Amino acid sequence: MKKVALIFGVTGQDGSYLTKLLLKKKYIVHGVKRRSSSINTSRIDDIYQEPFVKKKNFILHYGDITDGISIFNLIKKTKPDEIYNLAAQSHVAVSFKIPEYTTNADAVGTLRILDSIIKLNPKIKFYQAGSSEMYGKVQSFPQNEKTPFYPRSPYGVSKLYSHWITINYRESYKIFACNGILFNHESPLRGETFVTKKIVKAMCKIKNGRQKKLYLGNLYAKRDWGHAEDYVEAMWRILQYKNPEDWVICTGKQYSVKQFVNLVAKYLRLKLIWKGKGLYEKAYLEKKVPIIEIKKEYFRPAEVDTLKGDASKARKFLKWKPSKNINYLIKDMVEYELNQTYED
Ligand code: NAP
Ligand code: G4F
């Protein structure tokens, strides 16, 4: 019998990579997409061309994480062995602008799935997409499964609710429900307003003479950036482990936004010279033209200054470790971007 997976958030970066992974593992994959006025399946459309995709092993359904009826009905209809909850309003800065919606989707959405599981089939395994944003103002360094949380945004607070409600349902109803605490992971499919994609896209366009300037916020925030393809493998391993537990997934290496910019510039052979401080810091190309400037609007009301994880537990028990480093990530993102054709 083939295993059946149900993915909430199938149209996102991770949803796309996870779908491919599960189809290669011969799962039947049901994906939940939400209704939008324009087509939102661009990240998964190519999956239908893959040789391992047959007519009936990848099926999309309409649903919404803020709509409990759709969640209940989809779980009832698709009868999954495993549910992956990747659906979220996943942009931290945006969560300050739409905090109530973010809480509804990112916190209560998880409760809706968990409660449907215990009502319909408590044997379903559940993966919750937790985030290193829950560490926020970090309480110890590096962060592992024992590090106390201190979220700094409506997004981080909502993810923390999801983390604890997943543990609460696991302990109360003995279900196989797990939290992955994933640090930042990127890829060519990353959303365009996250900082890595924004930098790569703009700098490729600058290199090709299609854009003049890139505006950024806090250059000195540090992140532990991995590749999404590695991280979806961890999600799957988490649900195959003998016990339902919580897991930190990260590279253990940390770079600032400015270092990321410099690595992209190096790959593109752009010679950047940084001058000035604070809001007046600028990166010049060939000493003359400023191509990167700072805009106050990209700073957040509360920042997560530094994140660096410790994935020893996953290394030891899941036999998981990242296979791609930051240089591979940048090469993958830049090469993808350079191959895009732009209408402008
Ligand atoms: P993403 O690209 O933003 O994808 C989010 C997915 O959720 C998209 O498919 C989106 O649909 C869907 N979604 C949003 N609101 C929804 C709603 N109300 N109902 C149903 N679906 C909804 O995010 P990602 O980078 O793949 O991340 C996947 C998950 O991991 C998210 O929960 C994120 O918060 C979490 N996470 C990500 C990272 C990271 O660094 N990438 C790290 C830790 C945790 P549309 O395509 O229609 O927008
Ligand atoms: O790329 P970011 O928007 O990612 P952030 O806030 O770390 O969140 C991502 O990773 C989390 C895991 O830790 C996920 F849970 C979450 O869903 C999301 O995927 O920003 C990274 C850093 C921040 O410190 C931000 O202030 O980059 C800084 N930054 C500087 N200039 C900018 C910009 N971020 C964005 N998005 N845009 C800028 O212009």
Side-chain angles (χ1 to χ4, degrees):
M1 284 284 278
K2 285 189 168 185
K3 277 194 190 172
V4 178
L6 176 60
I7 304 177
F8 290 92
V10 74
T11 55
Q13 169 189 255
D14 293 3
S16 173
Y17 283 104
L18 181 65
T19 300
K20 282 182 201 150
L21 178 82
L22 296 180
L23 288 171
K24 279 185 195 153
K25 290 187 185 294
K26 308 238 181 305
Y27 279 61
I28 292 171
V29 178
H30 293 275
V32 183
K33 63 171 180 175
R34 56 181 175 162
R35 197 269 159 184
S36 63
S37 64
S38 52
I39 292 169
N40 60 354
T41 54
S42 61
R43 291 189 183 100
I44 50 173
D45 287 339
D46 68 311
I47 293 177
Y48 292 103
Q49 313 307 322
E50 299 279 2
F52 48 81
V53 181
K54 307 265 168 352
K55 218 176 176 185
K56 287 192 176 154
N57 59 1
F58 181 40
I59 304 133
L60 290 177
H61 308 264
Y62 280 110
D64 198 296
I65 201 77
T66 61
D67 181 320
I69 298 173
S70 72
I71 292 171
F72 184 90
N73 286 339
L74 279 172
I75 298 175
K76 193 170 174 199
K77 182 176 169 185
T78 59
K79 298 187 175 41
D81 300 295
E82 297 171 8
I83 294 179
Y84 296 84
N85 179 26
L86 314 180
Q89 190 302 94
S90 70
H91 203 285
V92 175
V94 173
S95 79
F96 288 97
K97 307 282 182 200
I98 49 169
E100 189 178 337
Y101 173 75
T102 302
T103 305
N104 192 1
D106 299 11
V108 190
T110 310
L111 173 67
R112 293 184 182 104
I113 299 176
L114 286 165
D115 210 65
S116 295
I117 289 175
I118 61 159
K119 294 206 167 90
L120 288 166
N121 177 10
K123 290 209 166 97
I124 296 170
K125 292 182 174 183
F126 176 69
Y127 173 84
Q128 166 55 21
S131 166
S132 50
E133 276 292 307
M134 298 186 297
Y135 295 121
K137 191 172 177 182
V138 296
Q139 300 296 293
S140 63
F141 208 81
Q143 298 82 50
N144 63 23
E145 292 81 0
K146 295 198 169 76
T147 306
F149 298 114
Y150 193 142
R152 296 272 281 171
S153 63
Y155 171 83
V157 174
S158 302
K159 286 287 181 182
L160 192 50
Y161 172 86
S162 284
H163 179 86
W164 282 112
I165 200 67
T166 298
I167 293 172
N168 179 256
Y169 268 58
R170 176 167 82 212
E171 292 176 352
S172 306
Y173 305 109
K174 315 292 172 228
I175 59 173
F176 199 106
C178 311
N179 290 294
I181 307 172
L182 272 53
F183 283 62
N184 299 50
H185 46 280
E186 321 292 310
S187 74
L189 301 185
R190 186 56 145 151
E192 304 203 346
T193 57
F194 295 94
V195 79
T196 56
K197 180 73 168 181
K198 185 175 164 183
I199 291 167
V200 168
K201 195 175 171 92
M203 289 182 67
C204 289
K205 283 185 158 186
I206 289 169
K207 172 85 182 173
N208 291 335
R210 292 173 179 274
Q211 187 170 326
K212 287 200 165 36
K213 217 168 267 186
L214 163 64
Y215 292 97
L216 291 171
N218 181 6
L219 291 174
Y220 295 95
K222 291 180 183 155
R223 290 291 181 272
D224 176 335
W225 278 297
H227 196 295
E229 204 172 355
D230 280 337
Y231 287 43
V232 300
E233 168 75 29
M235 293 176 189
W236 177 76
R237 286 189 189 208
I238 286 170
L239 289 197
Q240 313 315 309
Y241 191 62
K242 59 184 175 190
N243 302 316
E245 294 185 16
D246 308 319
W247 305 86
V248 161
I249 302 297
C250 60
T251 69
K253 295 203 165 51
Q254 185 191 57
Y255 299 85
S256 68
V257 171
K258 188 172 173 179
Q259 282 173 308
F260 190 90
V261 170
N262 287 334
L263 286 170
V264 174
K266 192 173 164 204
Y267 187 83
L268 286 169
R269 295 173 198 274
L270 292 172
K271 200 168 170 341
L272 290 188
I273 295 159
W274 292 91
K275 284 184 187 167
K277 282 214 166 104
L279 291 176
Y280 303 101
E281 188 162 7
K282 293 182 174 65
Y284 293 78
L285 197 56
E286 313 288 344
K287 289 186 187 158
K288 288 175 285 204
V289 203
I291 61 152
I292 300 175
E293 294 192 23
I294 306 303
K295 254 194 187 167
K296 211 174 169 190
E297 67 190 66
Y298 292 121
F299 284 77
R300 293 160 187 193
E303 176 64 286
V304 173
D305 295 315
T306 180
L307 288 171
K308 180 175 158 174
D310 164 17
S312 310
K313 182 183 169 191
R315 278 178 190 256
K316 184 166 177 196
F317 297 105
L318 299 179
K319 309 286 175 226
W320 177 89
K321 63 175 184 195
S323 70
K324 299 169 174 67
N325 67 16
I326 191 119
N327 294 319
Y328 178 93
L329 174 66
I330 287 171
K331 178 179 182 311
D332 199 21
M333 293 180 79
V334 170
E335 292 300 334
Y336 175 90
E337 215 52 58
L338 292 174
N339 283 327
Q340 295 302 299
T341 46
Y342 297 108
E343 281 169 14
D344 54 343

